[in-house]
Each structure stands twice: as structure tokens, then as C-alpha cells.
């Protein structure tokens, strides 16, 4: 957890280059996209950029929404709503400094609004929700994905979201704070609590 | 980056968020494309007319104007509350407060000068000043 404290305090972490290499290897699913150029095209009204944006961001948005709402149907609605908002506000997209964080932030807030509107679903069990998926050809990893999904289902949504953004979207704590609208220290605290809880759950199931 | 336990790291390695459902892409892009075309087709004045922040600003401005109008026309002026308070105090029987509100007079028996009586008094005073030589400089010189 020392690296967590260093990052929160804004201190450089020793061996940052190695960390970035490890991080890049750990997040092959985060595509390298020229977000600024994509948003500039959208700001100019280029509708073909919507397709490129979907390819680049839909999976991340869907994943974030799924981890928040616990419902594939609701997560699909979130993706549609986010793209609708992008289209409606396309003139202002050129001013967005960090397009990826902005998109994830919009998705986060839309997901929270949707969860509030559909309180009934919040009471439904999340054990069957596929929070994670394995590569198609790997059956052993598919079992791991199922097991990890069951563990993640037992976390509070706020902790689950932070773990998603940190591990699967490769965001820094500061970026997660911007996306979720909470202070960086709160993000780090949620992350630490979530990881500790997952660890305890894993020890209990092994 | 060793902030998480190795077992959890191992469990997550290679796993990804699930793919969005099939058919979502078409539905999403169709809706967003229509919204983009609709938005791009609106001219400047239409956007201003339909802008929600501007509508809120108009509504707030109108509300402030109405409140100010009511405040200026309906409410009493700044002195009125004090006078009304004195009158209320007097009516409630607080004589001391009522006395503070009343102006003092040098001669309680004096009456106001009205009409020809006033002219007569003023002429008498001017005549006295002339005879005594306390008028203006021109009169004294003559």
C-alpha cells in the first residue's frame, strides 16, 4: 500500500518506468486512442467519428456502467445515453481537456442516475452478473472470471467502481477522483478497503 | 505498484470487462447520429432560444424584476416603519416614547400665521428693520 500513499501524496514512485511497463502489460484492453483528434472531429460535426469513438470507448463505458449498476440492460442504456450526450454537446467537445476521463465521468454519473431511478434492481442479487470476461479460447480463465465476478459482486458499488477504474481502465487515483467527483484520498481509501475485502473474501473461499 | 495482493493480481490478470451486447452498437450509433444531425442543423438563434441555461437566466431575471417592483411599490419607504412604530408605541400607552416622537415648541400658545395676517406681520418686521437701520446696505446708504 506504500505506492498508494505515494501516488495520493503526488510523490514520484520509485521505479516508475518499471511500474508503467507492468501497468501497460496488465491493461492490454486499454486502447491507445488519439482522443483529442477524435473529439475535435466530433466538435466539427463529423458523424463518422462516432463509430471510431464507439470502437475506442464503448467497452470501457459498458464495463464501468455494468460494475456500477450490476445489470447488463442498464449498462447498455448507459452506453446509449453517453453517446447521445456526446452528440448533443458535440460543439463543446473541443474544449474537453481529458476526453477519456470526461467520457468515463459522464458514464459514471449517468449510471448513478439510472441506479437511483431503478431502485428495484439495486435489491437484486449480483452473483450472476459477468463483471469480468476471459479471452474466448481460454476455458480455465473463464472459470477465474466467474469466480472473480462472484467476489466483486460482494463489494459496495463505490469500491467496485474504483477497482474497475484502477485495474481495468488504468486510471490514476487523481483521475478517478475527477471521474467520480470525490477527493483523491477518498478514492485511495475506497480502493484500499475494496482490495482488503477482496483479499479476505479470497482467503475465505480458498 | 505492489499495492494489491498477488493473489488478486493473479486472478485479474488477462481478464477484461465483458463485450457490450450485440446490436448495441447499431442502436447507439443510430441514436447518436440522429442527435448529431439534429444538433448540427440548428442555427445560432434556435440554439439560444432552446438553451436551458439561458431560459433559466431569463426566468431568474424576470423573477428578480418582479420582486424589486413589488418591493419598491408596495412596501413602505425607509422612514415609514419608524413613524409607524412611534404611533404604535403611543397607542399602546407608552407616553415617554410618544413624547420623544413629538417636536418641542418654544411657545405652546403660538398659532400659525395664515393669509393677510402673515403679510401684515412681515411688513411690520420690515418697517422695524428700516427704522432701526438693520436692513441691507442699499437702504442704509440712502
Amino acid at each position: 500500500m506504500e505506492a498508494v500513499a505515494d501516488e495520493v501524496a503526488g510523490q514520484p514512485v520509485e521505479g516508475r518506468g518499471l511500474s508503467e511497463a507492468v501497468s501497460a502489460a496488465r491493461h492490454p484492453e486499454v486502447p491507445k486512442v488519439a482522443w483529442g483528434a477524435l473529439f475535435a472531429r466530433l466538435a466539427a460535426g463529423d458523424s463518422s467519428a462516432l463509430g471510431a469513438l464507439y470502437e475506442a470507448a464503448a467497452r470501457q463505458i459498458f464495463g464501468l456502467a455494468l460494475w456500477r449498476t450490476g445489470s447488463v440492460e442498464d449498462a447498455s442504456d448507459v452506453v446509449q445515453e453517453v453517446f447521445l450526450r456526446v452528440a448533443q454537446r458535440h460543439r463543446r467537445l473541443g474544449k474537453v481537456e481529458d476526453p477519456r476521463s470526461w467520457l468515463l465521468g459522464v458514464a459514471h454519473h449517468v449510471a448513478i442516475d439510472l441506479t437511483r431511478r431503478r431502485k428495484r434492481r439495486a435489491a437484486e442479487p449480483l452473483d450472476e452478473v459477468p463483471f469480468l470476461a476471459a479471452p474466448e479460447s481460454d476455458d480455465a480463465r473463464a472459470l477465474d472470471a466467474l469466480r472473480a465476478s462472484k467476489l466483486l459482486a460482494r463489494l459496495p458499488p463505490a469500491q467496485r467502481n474504483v477497482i474497475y477504474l484502477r485495474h481495468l481502465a488504468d486510471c490514476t487515483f487523481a483521475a478517478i477522483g475527477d471521474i467520480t467527483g470525490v477527493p483523491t484520498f477518498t478514492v485511495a481509501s475506497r480502493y484500499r478497503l475494496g482490495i482488503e475485502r477482496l483479499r479476505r473474501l479470497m482467503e475465505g473461499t480458498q | 505498484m505492489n499495492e494489491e495482493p498477488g493473489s488478486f493480481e493473479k486472478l485479474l490478470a488477462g481478464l477484461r470487462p465483458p463485450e457490450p451486447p450485440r446490436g448495441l452498437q447499431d442502436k447507439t450509433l443510430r441514436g447518436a447520429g440522429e442527435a448529431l444531425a439534429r444538433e448540427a442543423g440548428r442555427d445560432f438563434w434556435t440554439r439560444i432560444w432552446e438553451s436551458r441555461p439561458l431560459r433559466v437566466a431569463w426566468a431568474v431575471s424576470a423573477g428578480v424584476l418582479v420582486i424589486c417592483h413589488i418591493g419598491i411599490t408596495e412596501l413602505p419607504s425607509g422612514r415609514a416603519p419608524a413613524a409607524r412604530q412611534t404611533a404604535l408605541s403611543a397607542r399602546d400607552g407608552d407616553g415617554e416614547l410618544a413624547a420623544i416622537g413629538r417636536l418641542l415648541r418654544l411657545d405652546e400658545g403660538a398659532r400659525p400665521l395664515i393669509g393677510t395676517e402673515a403679510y401684515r406681520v412681515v411688513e411690520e418686521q420690515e418697517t422695524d428693520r428700516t427704522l432701526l437701520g438693520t436692513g441691507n446696505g442699499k437702504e442704509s446708504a440712502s
Side-chain angles (χ1 to χ4, degrees):
Chain A
M1 293 289 167
E2 288 169 8
V4 175
D6 285 344
E7 185 177 330
V8 170
Q11 298 298 318
V13 180
E14 198 176 344
R16 175 66 81 182
L18 179 62
S19 299
E20 282 172 357
V22 170
S23 175
R26 200 177 60 185
H27 305 286
E29 66 278 2
V30 178
K32 298 287 177 238
V33 181
W35 295 100
L38 210 51
F39 267 43
R41 282 171 60 196
L42 282 168
D46 180 1
S47 60
S48 67
L50 282 171
L53 185 67
Y54 188 92
E55 294 293 336
R59 189 169 192 156
Q60 287 180 51
I61 294 171
F62 179 78
L64 178 65
L66 180 66
W67 282 47
R68 183 76 204 190
T69 62
S71 158
V72 172
E73 192 182 329
D74 287 350
S76 302
D77 287 349
V78 170
V79 173
Q80 289 189 64
E81 179 64 27
V82 169
F83 275 81
L84 204 59
R85 290 192 185 187
V86 165
Q88 287 168 343
R89 299 169 189 179
H90 73 99
R91 291 176 207 275
R92 279 173 274 173
L93 295 182
K95 296 174 187 168
V96 175
E97 287 182 4
D98 184 351
R100 183 166 160 267
S101 292
W102 183 83
L103 274 176
L104 291 172
V106 172
H108 175 78
H109 290 105
V110 170
I112 287 176
D113 289 346
L114 203 70
T115 309
R116 282 178 186 154
R117 281 206 304 271
R118 300 176 181 174
K119 281 180 183 169
R120 183 176 54 81
R121 285 197 185 142
E124 291 175 358
L126 303 177
D127 286 346
E128 302 303 320
V129 178
F131 288 116
L132 289 166
E136 289 176 6
S137 57
D138 197 339
D139 291 341
R141 296 300 290 149
L143 283 176
D144 282 343
L146 198 64
R147 183 164 159 249
S149 295
K150 285 185 184 299
L151 293 174
L152 289 164
R154 298 172 71 178
L155 288 183
Q159 291 176 11
R160 206 164 48 225
N161 255 27
V162 171
I163 291 174
Y164 176 90
L165 290 167
R166 184 82 178 116
H167 273 276
L168 297 172
D170 198 22
C171 295
T172 62
F173 286 128
I176 297 171
D178 290 340
I179 290 166
T180 57
V182 297
T184 308
F185 281 98
T186 308
V187 170
S189 172
R190 284 179 182 172
Y191 178 79
R192 185 177 55 79
L193 291 171
I195 292 293
E196 282 175 1
R197 187 161 181 181
L198 277 176
R199 185 196 296 164
R200 282 199 304 274
L201 288 168
M202 288 178 74
E203 286 168 355
T205 56
Q206 281 174 348
Chain B
M1 297 288 282
N2 294 323
E3 67 268 33
E4 55 277 330
S7 52
F8 176 69
E9 182 79 3
K10 256 189 273 177
L11 186 65
L12 280 188
L15 300 181
R16 311 164 65 181
E19 289 275 2
R22 285 176 189 170
L24 181 64
Q25 181 169 6
D26 289 341
K27 214 189 307 182
T28 304
L29 291 182
R30 194 169 51 243
E34 285 170 5
L36 189 69
R38 201 168 46 242
E39 189 69 21
R42 294 194 310 162
D43 66 352
F44 177 75
W45 293 108
T46 310
R47 273 187 281 133
I48 284 191
W49 177 250
E50 294 176 356
S51 164
R52 185 180 291 181
L54 282 179
R55 284 188 173 182
V56 171
W58 277 113
V60 169
S61 306
V64 168
L65 280 174
V66 168
I67 290 169
C68 289
H69 177 74
I70 290 171
I72 291 168
T73 57
E74 299 296 324
L75 293 181
S77 63
R79 285 186 175 187
R84 191 165 61 236
Q85 196 171 1
T86 307
L88 285 174
S89 302
R91 198 169 58 209
D92 293 344
D94 192 338
E96 191 173 354
L97 276 179
I100 291 170
R102 200 183 302 140
L103 288 173
L104 294 173
R105 307 185 71 175
L106 291 174
D107 182 1
E108 289 291 338
R111 302 181 70 80
L113 297 174
I114 300 169
T116 52
E117 180 71 12
Y119 282 114
R120 190 181 61 75
V121 170
V122 170
E123 278 175 8
E124 282 177 6
Q125 286 177 348
E126 282 182 355
T127 307
D128 291 346
R129 274 206 295 273
T130 306
L131 292 173
L132 292 172
T134 55
N136 56 30
K138 188 178 174 185
E139 287 174 348
S140 301
S142 63

